[in-house]
Amino acid sequence: FGKAECGIAFDCSLPIDTYGAVLWVFVMVVMFKWLGVLCEEYLVRALEEISIKLGLSDDISGAVLFAPGSSSPELFTNIVATLIIVSQGGVGAVIGSLVYNVCNMVGAACI
């Protein structure tokens, strides 16, 4: 968006380009829509076919195939941030996202 202008501590302003912000929101909406279509058309159908060919029940296929698929984008993003970008928070983010996703799946299954 540009360079922030700061007078004193905690008194900063950032000039925002209105057309750039609208374009950014539009691009984000389109990307989310494309991601949803790709997942619906290809990922879900592929995982359903795998579970049918392996003879898995719906409960087993949900736990074995669909659960890792929901957390793998975040996991791979954090791994890239850790190994390629080499950031300080990368390892904590990988472990934290893994713990959160495992606890979330177990909690949802208990409900």
Side-chain angles (χ1 to χ4, degrees):
F1 290 112
K3 187 176 180 181
E5 300 170 4
C6 298
I8 58 174
F10 304 110
D11 184 30
C12 296
S13 64
L14 179 66
I16 296 176
D17 180 22
T18 306
Y19 297 114
V22 170
L23 178 66
W24 182 79
V25 169
F26 176 74
V27 168
M28 292 300 295
V29 168
V30 169
M31 295 296 281
F32 277 116
K33 177 64 178 167
W34 286 350
L35 181 63
V37 168
L38 285 174
C39 288
E40 182 70 27
E41 294 294 324
Y42 297 105
L43 179 66
V44 172
R45 289 186 184 177
L47 291 177
E48 287 174 351
E49 288 293 322
I50 290 170
S51 65
I52 289 171
K53 292 197 187 255
L54 292 176
L56 300 174
S57 69
D58 290 339
D59 296 333
I60 301 295
S61 65
V64 172
L65 299 176
F66 294 111
S70 68
S71 63
S72 62
E74 182 181 3
L75 179 66
F76 288 122
T77 302
N78 289 327
I79 288 173
V80 167
T82 302
L83 299 178
I84 295 175
I85 300 173
V86 187
S87 64
Q88 293 289 332
V91 176
V94 169
I95 294 171
S97 67
L98 180 65
V99 169
Y100 174 77
N101 288 329
V102 167
C103 291
N104 194 12
M105 294 299 168
V106 171
C110 290
I111 293 175

